[in-house]
Amino acid sequence: MKYGKTTLIYEFFKVQIEFGYYKKGDVLPSMEFLHEVYHAAFRTIRNAYLQLQEEGYISLSSGRKTLVVYDQSEQACNQNAKAYYLSRKEAIKSLGQAWQVLLVPLMHQGCLRLCKSQMNFIKEVAAKLENGDLYVSFLLGQEIILAMNNRLALDLYNETVSFYQFPHTLNRKLPNTQNLQHLRLLSGKVIAACESNDREELYRIYLLIEQEIGGTIQSFIRQAQTDVPPQKQIPFQWNVYRGRPQHCYSLAAELIRLIMLDSVYEEGDQLPSYSTIANTYGVSFSTVRRVVDLLKVFGVVTTSQGLRASVIAIREDNILLKAPAVKKIASMFQEAMQMILFAFNHIVKRYSSRSKHRFSQYTSKLQSLQEQGVTFKSFYLCLDFLLFDNDCPALKELWLKLRETLILGLPLLESQAGSCGVKQQLKTYTSGVINGLESGDIHLFCSNLEELAFLVSETMKLMKTKNEKLSYKDMPSS
């Protein structure tokens, strides 16, 4: 099963049934309800339910309620839940740190952008769940992310919540009157904030609910450790290319990195044969063919019949701006940059001071790049400086996937690096970054890097606009 919303819904209900939240004879939510919650097509939801039925978890029949048929003891349910959370104990801790850096700033902006209809929806949900159900956190968080109109962030949010497995089930396994009363109080405050259109207050309450969830999970893990042996740890993995061929895009990003950032292959060089690439990266021959086609679309390589792909100079006229892949990557690039820009101050505050021992190493790399000519590559090097060598595995995972997306957009950026306005700004901000590193002036380094990040975002926005204008011109006249 491809990892998409079908898998997300399937995995959620599978685990919730195995945890004992839904028991034999219980009725699962209607497809209409899930359509509102997940913003998924009815066919997507039905496919998830059909998979659950095929594996013996539910009974699905036309015109009737969806019943749980899976039967197991309460003890088995408890063991399943304990094994699940204990095997993810380290990843959950790490993911919480990454969430604070990358998603919390975006959630704040999303909360400020909530429209009246979204506030009303949140109010209605909170009213239904005022009995102290942690599920209100998922629905509130999802509406906040939707307000940002950022599919990449929404995918990350859904995968994160899926990894936590909606810990509202743990309330039943760890009955705590005080916690339930606190959650009821917070649900009431959510309603009040929505009624008064106080988005800052709503955001503050959301963070309190998230703290409640974190405390509930940690309490359950501490209790589980007393009677369950240590489990092999499972890391968090972000399947960033939902609905897209993961291997194809990841391998394309890797080859662009080797060509444009690491200079393993330079202009005029030939890439290895298709079979060599397939064997090196453990992918099929057809996947390599699709990757090379993608690189041709981005103006990175050219091919001739019977010959291997050859690296070419990055120029706008070599890029097929009208290609759907260019539009997709430009959109994903903008979404990744939105996350980075809103999280910028958090990233700098958390990691810049830890990186002082590597100032000279990165200064020489940046100086070497600048000597080769004005380039956007300095931006990628600076973000690596801040994020790559961190001590948080989940943040490193998120950065590597965001980095893939940004690298896919590098040919589009570089095609604009020589234009008059962009060239001068690139030179100015890169020099400021280098001066900040040389002098150890974190403020100078960060202020110029932030300006560089805005320039990157605006340049990609320009390329995306060009793509849309070209596509519009090709539309048939009425």
Side-chain angles (χ1 to χ4, degrees):
M1 186 188 294
K2 288 185 179 181
Y3 209 106
K5 282 191 176 179
T6 296
T7 308
L8 184 73
I9 296 167
Y10 157 78
E11 287 182 349
F12 167 63
F13 285 106
K14 175 179 179 289
V15 173
Q16 295 304 298
I17 291 169
E18 290 178 347
F19 282 9
Y21 184 78
Y22 293 106
K23 302 180 185 297
K24 184 177 181 179
D26 284 351
V27 177
L28 292 192
S30 68
M31 292 188 187
E32 289 75 14
F33 177 77
L34 295 182
H35 169 69
E36 287 187 14
V37 169
Y38 288 99
H39 298 268
F42 286 102
R43 181 178 177 181
T44 297
I45 300 163
R46 181 168 178 78
N47 286 340
Y49 272 5
L50 286 172
Q51 184 70 22
L52 289 166
Q53 179 173 254
E54 186 178 319
E55 296 180 11
Y57 288 99
I58 64 173
S59 174
L60 183 65
S61 55
S62 179
R64 296 185 180 180
K65 294 177 179 178
T66 303
L67 293 176
V68 175
V69 297
Y70 187 80
D71 192 16
Q72 64 178 350
S73 67
E74 185 66 26
Q75 183 180 3
C77 291
N78 288 334
Q79 288 300 110
N80 287 336
K82 289 175 181 178
Y84 182 91
Y85 284 104
L86 282 179
S87 64
R88 292 160 177 80
K89 179 180 69 171
E90 297 301 325
I92 286 172
K93 179 181 177 182
S94 176
L95 193 53
Q97 296 170 1
W99 181 284
Q100 289 296 319
V101 174
L102 273 180
L103 271 177
V104 164
L106 197 71
M107 302 295 278
H108 185 212
Q109 289 298 319
C111 210
L112 297 179
R113 297 185 186 189
L114 287 169
C115 65
K116 184 65 177 177
S117 61
Q118 287 177 304
M119 296 284 279
N120 287 334
F121 176 74
I122 292 169
K123 175 186 169 183
E124 291 171 7
V125 169
K128 291 177 183 176
L129 300 175
E130 206 172 356
N131 60 348
D133 198 325
L134 285 170
Y135 196 57
V136 69
S137 168
F138 166 67
L139 293 172
L140 174 54
Q142 183 170 254
E143 286 302 310
I144 290 172
I145 286 289
L146 283 170
M148 293 302 298
N149 193 29
N150 187 322
R151 180 182 171 180
L152 200 61
L154 181 62
D155 284 349
L156 174 58
Y157 177 78
N158 284 334
E159 287 201 47
T160 302
V161 172
S162 180
F163 191 79
Y164 281 114
Q165 275 307 324
F166 299 82
H168 58 283
T169 57
L170 302 183
N171 273 6
R172 294 186 178 185
K173 300 182 183 300
L174 283 173
N176 185 312
T177 303
Q178 185 176 358
N179 283 356
L180 287 174
Q181 289 176 345
H182 189 217
L183 277 171
R184 291 190 186 105
L185 177 64
L186 290 176
S187 292
K189 288 185 175 181
V190 167
I191 295 170
C194 289
E195 287 177 339
S196 62
N197 287 318
D198 190 339
R199 290 163 178 79
E200 285 286 2
E201 175 66 4
L202 185 62
Y203 172 69
R204 188 187 69 82
I205 298 164
Y206 172 74
L207 293 183
L208 291 175
I209 295 174
E210 287 299 308
Q211 289 177 18
E212 197 74 36
I213 288 176
T216 299
I217 292 176
Q218 293 306 317
S219 294
F220 184 77
I221 288 174
R222 284 194 296 271
Q223 186 186 84
Q225 286 174 320
T226 62
D227 59 354
V228 175
Q231 303 285 306
K232 182 180 178 181
Q233 292 300 295
I234 298 172
F236 173 76
Q237 290 185 314
W238 182 16
N239 298 287
V240 68
Y241 301 110
R242 284 184 185 275
R244 303 176 176 92
Q246 174 84 39
H247 290 307
C248 182
Y249 279 84
S250 294
L251 181 52
E254 172 64 10
L255 292 176
I256 291 173
R257 180 184 69 81
L258 292 174
I259 294 167
M260 299 187 67
L261 292 177
D262 294 352
S263 300
V264 173
Y265 306 105
E266 298 183 345
E267 185 181 344
D269 289 346
Q270 289 187 328
L271 296 184
S273 66
Y274 286 17
S275 57
T276 299
I277 295 174
N279 291 332
T280 301
Y281 293 99
V283 297
S284 67
F285 192 87
S286 61
T287 295
V288 177
R289 189 185 300 277
R290 290 198 302 273
V291 168
V292 171
D293 287 342
L294 197 58
L295 296 182
K296 287 168 63 179
V297 165
F298 286 110
V300 178
V301 302
T302 186
T303 57
S304 299
Q305 190 169 2
L307 297 175
R308 291 179 289 173
S310 298
V311 178
I312 58 176
I314 301 297
R315 294 198 303 265
E316 186 176 333
D317 55 2
N318 286 335
I319 300 172
L320 301 180
L321 287 174
K322 293 185 290 185
V326 172
K327 184 177 181 179
K328 281 185 179 180
I329 293 305
S331 294
M332 288 180 67
F333 188 101
Q334 284 292 91
E335 291 168 351
M337 283 303 302
Q338 185 190 58
M339 294 173 69
I340 289 169
L341 285 169
F342 282 125
F344 187 82
N345 290 332
H346 289 248
I347 293 169
V348 168
K349 183 178 179 181
R350 192 176 185 97
Y351 294 107
S352 59
S353 60
R354 297 183 184 182
S355 307
K356 286 183 179 178
H357 67 284
R358 294 183 291 122
F359 276 19
S360 59
Q361 174 191 355
Y362 277 82
T363 300
S364 60
K365 287 183 178 180
L366 284 166
Q367 287 172 333
S368 177
L369 271 181
Q370 198 171 42
E371 288 170 4
Q372 297 170 26
V374 178
T375 174
F376 279 103
K377 299 173 189 176
S378 55
F379 173 68
Y380 293 75
L381 194 59
C382 289
L383 285 182
D384 272 347
F385 170 73
L386 288 173
L387 286 169
F388 187 70
D389 291 332
N390 68 77
D391 55 359
C392 176
L395 184 60
K396 189 171 183 177
E397 162 71 6
L398 300 187
W399 165 234
L400 287 175
K401 293 298 173 64
L402 285 174
R403 188 175 187 259
E404 272 189 13
T405 301
L406 296 177
I407 286 175
L408 286 168
L410 181 56
L412 303 180
L413 288 177
E414 285 295 274
S415 71
Q416 303 300 303
S419 62
C420 295
V422 173
K423 184 176 181 179
Q424 184 56 48
Q425 290 181 80
L426 261 177
K427 186 176 180 180
T428 300
Y429 300 143
T430 302
S431 296
V433 164
I434 292 172
N435 290 337
L437 286 174
E438 284 182 321
S439 63
D441 187 336
I442 290 294
H443 175 72
L444 181 63
F445 166 77
C446 292
S447 61
N448 279 278
L449 178 54
E450 189 171 20
E451 292 293 343
L452 185 57
F454 279 115
L455 178 62
V456 166
S457 184
E458 288 302 310
T459 303
M460 184 57 73
K461 191 181 296 182
L462 174 65
M463 291 299 291
K464 189 178 176 184
T465 301
K466 287 183 179 181
N467 173 284
E468 291 168 351
K469 284 181 178 178
L470 286 170
S471 299
Y472 178 77
K473 287 179 180 179
D474 285 346
M475 290 176 65
S477 57
S478 54

